[in-house]
Amino acid sequence: MEMEKRISLELRNKTPAEVAELVVDNCRSSDGEVEGLSDDYKELEFLSMVNVGLTSLAKLPSLPKLLKLEISDNMIVGGLDQLSEKCPNLTYLNLSGNKIKELSTVKPLKNLKNLKSLDLYSCEITTLEDYRESVFELLPQVTFLDGYDHEDNEVPDSEADDDDNEGLDSEADDDDEHTAGPTRDGDDDEDEDDEGSEGEEVGLSYLMKDGIQDEEDDDDYVEEEEEEDGVGVQGEKRKRDAEDEGDDSDGDDD
């Protein structure tokens, strides 16, 4: 894909002035120049153009806020003076894998007063005798060259450190949530248990009351049946007695 088209796709419905980071690695520059970028990218802080076939930085627009520039694995042989003019606030520059051979080629980087980290790995310049000492002497503002400082201490991964700190913060937040969460949930559970027990007590008392009432009603019903049965028996007895008396009276008449 051509660089200009790739850049337009990377905008993702934003205007150039809204873009702070732009990565267009592995696309293709048609003439070895920077294409598709303009001075409108005034808020750009990070730009990566790895393996895009660049041979020159002559058409690099003015990017006053650019801090990090990745242009490794291209075919740049010189013209680095453009960087101090177009990107005066660079702190990190990766030129590894380019066609840089002489110390004089990197000398213009001296004008990048904020440059702290420079990467020239896999460039032919690294084969020069006393390469590291010479570059540090030529560019005194540079702290890290090819990932190491003057004393061969590896550059700290600041981004990873930031991510770790964020991870620790998020873990701490999670711990706080876990610590506070069960207490709140426990309170809710206790409230629910209290409500449930109260509901059970009310329900049991209500059912027991109903049961007692039902038993009383049943007793009344039994007693009524017994009374009715008693009345019926007494009626039958009186009827039989009356019949017996009638039979006796008939006998006396005879």
Side-chain angles (χ1 to χ4, degrees):
M1 182 182 294
E2 293 183 359
M3 182 183 292
E4 189 169 359
K5 184 177 180 180
R6 173 71 178 277
I7 290 176
S8 65
L9 290 175
E10 291 295 328
L11 284 176
R12 304 180 190 279
N13 297 321
K14 293 182 179 180
T15 63
E18 296 174 320
V19 178
E21 296 185 3
L22 185 60
V23 178
V24 293
D25 300 346
N26 302 312
C27 62
R28 276 289 167 261
S29 169
S30 59
D31 59 0
E33 299 280 359
V34 177
E35 301 171 342
L37 286 178
S38 67
D39 294 343
D40 293 333
Y41 289 83
K42 56 186 178 180
E43 299 296 324
L44 199 61
E45 297 179 359
F46 175 81
L47 174 61
S48 182
M49 297 184 291
V50 176
N51 188 32
V52 297
L54 288 179
T55 58
S56 171
L57 296 174
K59 292 185 179 180
L60 187 69
S62 178
L63 304 171
K65 291 189 176 182
L66 193 67
L67 301 176
K68 295 184 177 183
L69 179 60
E70 291 265 6
I71 47 177
S72 59
D73 298 328
N74 284 292
M75 297 178 286
I76 297 171
V77 296
L80 299 183
D81 54 312
Q82 299 288 331
L83 292 176
S84 60
E85 296 175 9
K86 306 294 182 64
C87 314
N89 292 308
L90 274 183
T91 61
Y92 172 86
L93 175 61
N94 190 344
L95 287 166
S96 63
N98 279 281
K99 307 297 182 181
I100 299 172
K101 302 178 180 180
E102 305 293 337
L103 287 172
S104 58
T105 305
V106 299
K107 186 176 181 178
L109 299 179
K110 187 175 183 177
N111 296 322
L112 290 171
K113 303 300 182 181
N114 297 319
L115 187 63
K116 299 300 181 185
S117 182
L118 174 64
D119 197 338
L120 296 168
Y121 182 75
S122 292
C123 292
E124 193 172 336
I125 189 176
T126 61
T127 63
L128 297 178
E129 186 176 357
D130 297 328
Y131 151 70
R132 290 180 57 80
E133 292 78 4
S134 299
V135 172
F136 278 125
E137 184 179 352
L138 186 63
L139 306 173
Q141 80 278 27
V142 172
T143 303
F144 298 100
L145 176 62
D146 301 335
Y148 294 88
D149 64 10
H150 293 264
E151 299 178 353
D152 291 334
N153 296 314
E154 190 172 2
V155 60
D157 192 344
S158 59
E159 293 182 359
D161 291 340
D162 291 339
D163 292 341
D164 290 341
N165 291 334
E166 291 177 1
L168 291 174
D169 293 339
S170 63
E171 289 176 3
D173 293 339
D174 291 341
D175 291 339
D176 292 339
E177 292 177 0
H178 292 323
T179 302
T183 303
R184 292 194 295 270
D185 293 342
D187 293 341
D188 293 340
D189 292 342
E190 290 177 1
D191 294 339
E192 291 177 359
D193 292 341
D194 292 340
E195 293 176 358
S197 61
E198 290 176 0
E200 289 176 0
E201 291 176 359
V202 172
L204 288 173
S205 62
Y206 180 81
L207 291 174
M208 292 175 66
K209 183 178 180 181
D210 287 347
I212 294 170
Q213 185 65 38
D214 290 341
E215 289 178 1
E216 292 177 353
D217 293 343
D218 291 342
D219 292 340
D220 294 342
Y221 181 75
V222 171
E223 291 176 358
E224 289 177 359
E225 286 184 346
E226 290 178 350
E227 289 177 359
E228 291 176 357
D229 291 343
V231 172
V233 170
Q234 292 176 1
E236 290 291 337
K237 183 177 181 182
R238 285 196 294 270
K239 184 177 180 181
R240 286 196 299 273
D241 291 342
E243 290 177 352
D244 292 339
E245 289 176 0
D247 291 340
D248 292 339
S249 63
D250 289 343
D252 292 337
D253 291 340
D254 291 342

